[in-house]
Amino acid sequence: MKGKVLVVAGLLLAGLLALSSVQGRAQGGEVTLLNVSYDPTRELYQDFNQAFAKYWKAKTGQTVTVEQSHGGSSKQARGVIDGLQADVVTLALAYDIDAISQNAGLLPADWQKRLPQNSTPYTSTIVFLVRKGNPKQIKDWDDLVKPGISVITPNPKTSGGARWNYVAAWAYALKQPGGSEQKAQEFVKRLYKNVPVLDSGARGSTTTFVQREIGDVLIAWENEAFLSIKELGAEKIEIVVPSQSILAEPPVSIVDKVVDKKGTRKVAQAYLEYLYTPEGQEIAAKNYYRPRLDSVAKKYASIFPKIKLVTIEEVFGGWQAAQKKHFADGGVFDQIYQPNQ
Amino acid sequence: MATTLPLSTRGLLPAQRVATAATGESAVVRWVLIGVAVLFLALFIFLPLAIVFSQAFAKGIGPYWASLRQPDALSAIRLTLLAAGIAVPLNLVFGVAAAWAIGKFEFFGKSLLITLIDLPFSVSPVVSGLIYVLLFGLQGVLGPWLARHNLQIIFAVPGIVLATIFVTFPFVARELIPLLQAQGQEEEEAALALGASGWQTFFRVSLPNIKWGLLYGVILCNARAMGEFGAVSVVSGHIRGRTNTMPLHVEILYNEYQFSAAFAVASLLALLALATLLVKTLVEWRARRQLAESARWDGEEQIA
Amino acid sequence: MAFTFKKRSNLPGFGLALGYTVLYLSLIVLIPLAATFLKASALSWDQFWHIVASPRAVASYRLTFGASLIGALINLVFGVLVAWVLVRYSFPGKRLFDSLVDLPFALPTAVAGIALTTIYAPNGWLGRPLASVGIKSAYSPLGVAIALTFIGLPFVVRSVQPVLEDMDKELEEAAASLGASRWQTFSRVVLPTILPAALAGFAMAFARAIGEYGSVVFISGNMPMRTEITPLLIMTKLDQFDYAGATAIAVVMLVFSLILLLPINLLQKWSSSREEKTSALVPEEIH
């Protein structure tokens, strides 16, 4: 009897292990990459992957398939930490890639120095989406904290875009005449008091704003704002550009431990480098990401409005510091929702 | 879980109907009660169903088919079928074994065992996904060992299958335990005394007696396996074309502003739910007829 | 093994059946659960308490349990009513309604969540009229309760239905002939008979609602302290790379699940023993 039980157990285990085949080995003429990215880059990488596959085939004769996974930036980083076999990560902010380095040691701590421009091949910024005709006359950040204005933004604890929204608001308040940490804290507190729905990702917030028609203004990635107007119609919504915003830098990196295991380092590296080429920059610009390359930037200058942009470095001293102070448990953001304050 | 086969005795005992007048309600009360019940069901059942289908066909039938034929949609359908195809038979075998042990034998720790079998039912799907991450994740208990041997459990098909098995774990067992309990063991003992082997007794005597309950458990198990969202979402990794199941694909499409396509895939899942209910109704109907036949038979025997 | 078996059956296959049951249970359920408790035990008691008793966690328990309770109560009242109507009356479309009761069971929760949100959003079929009279349905605790009512709907109906069907009408007739009003008969004769089954259904709807995630996240609005359910809090903690925090709260939920199963099993036992007593026919029913 015991024997039979053991046989059954063995079969069960064997079945499971048989299913857990190892995929994505670079072999001969074919290679598969997994790009783990954040929410609003779906369309960008759909275009980019095709272009890269063509480029790589022409250059090496190898067929490359790039698989995509999208979700909230931190959720995606967590997946990689837990063993999601990403060859490259293209996330919303440096902190999430830092987290992969710190929590799982899958890439070195100085990953951001390995590619040009802080490993950020394209940038974006934070703008407002309002209802057609701007009925509530929302022009700048100050208008968002007025009583009776309903603001839609995702949860900064889970969404990378939401963290950029938050730091943009904070930086604005700080840079106003007479601005101080105290005033900035008061400002973001009033802002979040006006938020009726806190979705877990940027896409969820856009749906809430456009599809459910909740809120007077959506704080969004610039690329996301352009895209939603393209997808959902210019007759319903329009973009408002605030006087100042943040230079949002979504970085990219290869995941060393994974590419070395799978033997895909060369192609993964080329994939990221291709983002910096004129072709890659062009695709980014077409998907409403601000290109880094001057020649491409000039060509698309008419699309992107001129905004005074501050960086996370100058206002917060980098993402590590910002995360610790604002978004960690018990941080400034949590205090907004403390009941007794 | 106590969804029950309402195998009624309706129609068998017409005598019971005679006194309805004495124990019935007035027509007004009756129709008010019916009205309230129907309104409640319409609000909570018909309306969601209606919205799924009306949104799915909002752009017409062409886009509807197109969204179902996308490669990502097809691979999501394939993965869902695969996961259910593995999870349901495994839980079926388990359910029969557990029901046999619990229904036919007395042993110490039996109620504890029943409670543990029920546990996955009341555990939050999020927690059921989390426990596999904690076990098989790279930072988990077995993670480093698996990584060294190039084995991928979570963020791959095995993780999805495991999560599906977990959430549908008790379904078949819980349907069968009371059935086997109620049957007693006389028939099996008779078969054994006549020289049948253990397996013969099981397949020829016990199994036919529980086949409807078994089928019902399998149907529910299957419906839940195909529709699970929370637990699978935690362990999936959302790699399009590879680790997205149908419910996850609905969420992805929804997040890509493809609302009609999202509802199209959702409508497929809703159709599955409806088909499940249809099969279930048929099963009940067959079972009831069989019950009626055997009752008539018994009656004739007694008269004879 | 530590158990001392007292077999009192001469059927074969006990060892194989029980062995396989225990093995499979251990592989799929017990070992992974043990890993969770192991992970949580890395925390000191103070740390653990600090996480699970934080105001945000407590607010999420309050919402999760409160909304689940409301959903289960609604299902208790309407579930008994629906079961009564389906068993005792005949009306057009009855068979259809009867089979559709199980829909929440079979419909994927994410689909239910999106559908319910579409209905109850301020621009939805029901959300708009509700909003015009000042009731906020989606993105409020009410929305959470609506979703949890939906997913718990089949439980009370399906556990009360067979009891009503097998109920001996002679008792009611006797009560009526002794001069009891219809309401008295119902409350004194019918209600006590179906009570255990109704309570078992209620407890199951409640248990199912507490863990629900898929349908709620779409409709709740996810505001910390206000409309954030406990499973979502676990997800949020995970996404902040806070494994210890997520595990600690998961352990709290697991303990609640275990505690809830106890009364459910007792109620089911009570219900079936009750049925055997009141019903002449042995009900061929499944819990």
Side-chain angles (χ1 to χ4, degrees), chain A residues 120-157:
Chain A
T120 324
Y122 43 78
T123 66
S124 189
T125 186
I126 300 301
V127 297
F128 306 152
L129 265 184
V130 296
R131 309 260 168 233
K132 190 74 195 169
N134 199 356
K136 293 281 169 89
Q137 288 304 304
I138 290 157
K139 297 269 165 53
D140 208 347
W141 290 99
D142 288 321
D143 298 316
L144 304 193
V145 299
K146 285 181 181 157
I149 296 292
S150 168
V151 181
I152 305 297
T153 177
N155 187 347
K157 292 243 175 189

Side-chain angles (χ1 to χ4, degrees), chain B residues 50-226:
Chain B
I51 205 108
V52 168
F53 283 98
S54 80
Q55 299 274 332
F57 288 102
K59 287 189 181 151
I61 190 120
Y64 180 84
W65 283 117
S67 52
L68 293 184
R69 279 204 306 267
Q70 276 178 0
D72 283 353
L74 288 177
S75 86
I77 293 172
R78 251 193 317 269
L79 180 59
T80 298
L81 292 178
L82 175 71
I86 297 173
V88 174
L90 281 178
N91 280 340
L92 171 65
V93 173
F94 161 75
V96 172
W100 184 262
I102 291 169
K104 298 281 182 190
F105 301 92
E106 287 301 323
F107 54 91
F108 176 77
K110 190 161 138 173
S111 355
L112 178 70
L113 187 62
I114 297 178
T115 306
L116 288 177
I117 289 173
D118 272 347
L119 189 61
F121 165 74
S122 66
V123 168
S124 173
V126 171
V127 176
S128 23
L130 174 65
I131 61 175
Y132 289 114
V133 171
L134 292 178
L135 190 62
F136 297 117
L138 197 54
Q139 317 303 315
V141 183
L142 297 177
W145 184 86
L146 289 167
R148 263 201 307 282
H149 293 80
N150 265 339
L151 294 169
Q152 186 81 15
I153 302 263
I154 55 167
F155 307 122
V157 176
I160 292 169
V161 171
L162 270 177
T164 308
I165 293 178
F166 186 94
V167 292
T168 55
F169 190 81
F171 282 63
V172 179
R174 286 301 268 157
E175 294 297 333
L176 294 186
I177 291 171
L179 273 185
L180 280 176
Q181 244 163 358
Q183 269 172 13
Q185 358 182 300
E186 289 83 2
E187 288 184 46
E188 280 89 352
E189 275 164 7
L192 287 170
L194 292 172
S197 78
W199 289 112
Q200 278 173 327
T201 309
F202 174 74
F203 281 109
R204 304 260 177 87
V205 179
S206 312
L207 203 57
N209 279 331
I210 56 167
K211 65 180 175 207
W212 298 118
L214 192 78
L215 194 55
Y216 184 65
V218 166
I219 291 166
L220 280 183
C221 184
N222 184 54
R224 188 92 161 80
M226 292 193 176

Side-chain angles (χ1 to χ4, degrees), chain C residues 103 154 161 171 192 237:
Chain C
L103 183 84
Q161 220 171 1
L171 282 172
K237 291 223 176 267

Side-chain angles (χ1 to χ4, degrees), chain A residues 95-132:
Chain A
Y95 177 77
D96 287 332
I97 303 185
D98 281 344
I100 299 174
S101 168
Q102 283 161 8
N103 290 309
L106 296 175
L107 40 84
D110 65 346
W111 61 272
Q112 209 168 2
K113 299 214 172 70
R114 299 191 295 185
L115 284 166
Q117 276 146 331
N118 282 331
S119 295
T120 324
Y122 43 78
T123 66
S124 189
T125 186
I126 300 301
V127 297
F128 306 152
L129 265 184
V130 296
R131 309 260 168 233
K132 190 74 195 169

